[in-house]
Amino acid sequence: MRANCWMGRGKVQVRDVPDPQILNSHDAIVRVTSTAICGSDLHLYDGFIPTMEKGDVLGHEFMGEVVEVGPEVRDLRPGDRVVVPFPIACGNCWACENELFSICENSNPNAGMAEKLMGHSPAGIYGYSHMLGGFPGGQAEYARVPFADVNPIKIEDDLPDEKVLFLSDIFPTGWIGAEMADIKPGDVVAVWGAGPVGQFTIASAFLMGAERVIAIDRFPYRLHRVEEMGAEPLDYEEGIDVPDALRDMTGGRGPDSCIDAVGMEAHHATPMYAYDRAKQATRLETDRPFVLREAIMSCRNGGTISVIGVYGGLVDKFPMGSFMNRSLTMRGAQCHVQKYLRPLLDRIRRGDIDPSFVISHHMSLDDTPRGYRIFRDKQEQCNKVVLHP
Ligand SMILES: [Zn+2]
Ligand SMILES: [Zn+2]
């Protein structure tokens, strides 16, 4: 089959690879009909996630048609249409029983590698390094889906792919970002990152009753998009100090909730940015936590910080004094997607939200390398690329 493979820093290539096989009696094989490029794929593309190997098949946002099932799969049959969540969960461990699917204790066969960096291992993730399981991803014609009765959601009506594909990651991720921020009706919420995940976070924050959402980014076309969603844009490249600006916009108190939808490759036009770049380049820190620092420093006393931007390892100059002395709460997670599939699908069906609003580009699988390039370099006003194998 054809698949998009990681070939080293800044290089992906669509190549012929072996077809996936049923390896376990609970597996299914899915013929991919739509798959997307995610902001977190760019961390792999830019070479910041360790334990990638040349030839790894990328992609963790995909959906399609079941073509084969293992002998012990009960609920899926060939011909079923499914969306597949990006974290792989077993359905039976303590974490899965508590709906914490992205920290499933059984789905990462390389848990020992993750334990070295993180202490304990999270779940396996499709197409996201060997430390997270080495599972071939879904930017391919076919994908193997483990624990097939636990993970995918069947789409039984005629909703088109583009309305349901983002249940695989970015819609639930935006939702949990807002949920972890503990938003109450009337709250002011600040969201760093106005990309696709930030856009779903903003939509979710409004659905949860936020009165105002302030969106921080540096690309005018993305700020324009979120302004149309009702958010107040804040362009940090206009030489402003973001925590100062947020104080001014909130009567001196700061936002009630601050959400980091950027993660490890934050940009900024200050000396601190050069400091983080240098430390990251020499592997003295794995992540550039500029947004995290700003979110903590900006948040009102007693407020909540929610982290959904992806971090890989260690950060430097973490404002611990601000966090502790000002009674802040901080929460983070890779989204427990399986928990949100049904309720968010119901919202799509009811017309509360049409997730296809994020799509800026449709491409064939063979065009994937161009998709990565324009998404990373923010060319052609690229917001979200959907690939059709
Ligand atoms: Zn994603
Ligand atoms: Zn589990």
Side-chain angles (χ1 to χ4, degrees):
M1 67 164 183
R2 304 285 286 162
N4 180 50
C5 300
W6 187 87
M7 300 302 288
R9 176 180 278 213
K11 191 161 180 218
V12 296
Q13 205 175 71
V14 180
R15 314 177 84 203
D16 289 317
V17 303
D19 287 350
Q21 308 285 328
I22 301 272
L23 301 178
N24 179 292
S25 54
H26 296 279
D27 288 350
I29 304 294
V30 169
R31 181 180 64 81
V32 178
T33 53
S34 296
T35 175
I37 303 173
C38 182
S40 59
D41 287 327
L42 298 181
H43 305 319
L44 304 170
Y45 189 50
D46 291 340
F48 288 117
I49 304 281
T51 74
M52 288 298 291
E53 289 173 18
K54 211 169 172 181
D56 284 348
V57 178
L58 296 175
H60 58 266
E61 302 181 355
F62 62 98
M63 65 176 295
E65 184 194 329
V66 174
V67 290
E68 196 183 346
V69 293
E72 287 181 66
V73 173
R74 282 169 290 117
D75 299 338
L76 290 182
R77 285 293 160 255
D80 284 345
R81 196 164 157 246
V82 291
V83 177
V84 181
F86 76 87
I88 300 169
C90 78
N92 286 304
C93 69
W94 174 87
C96 288
E97 280 176 359
N98 286 280
E99 299 189 303
L100 299 168
F101 298 98
S102 77
I103 51 169
C104 170
E105 296 162 358
N106 286 323
S107 65
N108 183 359
N110 301 331
M113 292 165 86
E115 283 164 7
K116 276 199 197 107
L117 188 64
M118 302 186 208
H120 298 267
S121 176
I125 293 180
Y126 295 98
Y128 218 79
S129 83
H130 289 264
M131 178 176 78
L132 295 179
F135 291 95
Q139 287 165 7
E141 289 180 291
Y142 296 90
R144 170 184 164 243
V145 175
F147 305 109
D149 282 328
V150 178
N151 292 298
I153 186 168
K154 251 192 266 191
I155 306 295
E156 290 172 294
D157 45 27
D158 56 359
L159 288 168
D161 279 21
E162 59 182 40
K163 282 198 181 189
V164 292
L165 170 63
F166 304 124
L167 287 170
S168 60
D169 179 359
I170 58 174
F171 181 18
T173 293
W175 185 270
I176 199 177
E179 193 176 79
M180 290 191 298
D182 195 24
I183 296 166
K184 309 236 176 7
D187 275 359
V188 181
V189 178
V191 178
W192 277 255
V197 169
Q199 290 160 23
F200 278 113
T201 306
I202 291 164
S204 302
F206 280 129
L207 285 169
M208 290 175 195
E211 186 171 309
R212 296 172 60 200
V213 179
I214 301 165
I216 301 135
D217 204 286
R218 66 185 168 130
F219 297 102
Y221 74 94
R222 303 212 298 197
L223 289 166
H224 181 69
R225 270 178 176 263
V226 297
E227 195 172 10
E228 289 195 328
M229 299 173 68
E232 298 161 50
L234 187 57
D235 182 346
Y236 67 72
E237 284 211 326
E238 285 176 352
I240 56 155
D241 180 86
V242 170
D244 273 355
L246 289 173
R247 240 188 321 270
D248 288 348
M249 293 168 85
T250 55
R253 295 178 75 226
D256 300 292
S257 303
C258 291
I259 303 175
D260 174 355
V262 174
M264 64 193 297
E265 290 187 70
H267 291 84
H268 208 272
T270 69
M272 198 58 149
Y273 177 62
Y275 173 90
D276 282 326
R277 287 286 303 202
K279 290 210 80 165
Q280 193 179 41
T282 52
R283 310 248 174 223
L284 291 169
E285 66 176 343
T286 50
D287 304 38
R288 304 195 299 256
F290 202 91
V291 162
L292 192 57
R293 295 187 195 113
E294 279 192 345
I296 291 171
M297 298 301 277
S298 302
C299 197
R300 74 152 160 81
N301 285 356
T304 304
I305 291 116
S306 163
V307 183
I308 47 171
V310 171
Y311 287 87
L314 305 174
V315 304
D316 209 2
K317 298 216 182 294
F318 182 87
M320 193 64 206
S322 174
F323 174 72
M324 184 270 162
N325 287 289
R326 301 198 301 109
S327 301
L328 300 176
T329 298
M330 184 163 86
R331 303 186 65 192
Q334 288 279 12
C335 184
H336 307 296
V337 175
Q338 290 83 342
K339 176 180 176 184
Y340 300 95
L341 287 171
R342 183 63 57 190
L344 294 184
L345 176 61
D346 288 345
R347 281 186 182 270
I348 296 169
R349 255 200 215 108
R350 285 205 303 268
D352 292 356
I353 184 166
D354 173 358
S356 65
F357 78 89
V358 295
I359 302 172
S360 60
H361 290 72
H362 288 274
M363 292 184 187
S364 74
L365 184 66
D366 286 332
D367 267 343
T368 311
R370 190 174 82 85
Y372 271 74
R373 209 167 43 244
I374 65 167
F375 185 38
R376 182 193 57 191
D377 299 338
K378 307 294 180 284
Q379 294 165 351
E380 302 176 24
Q381 307 212 336
C382 184
N383 193 60
K384 184 76 176 175
V385 179
V386 175
L387 306 162
H388 303 278

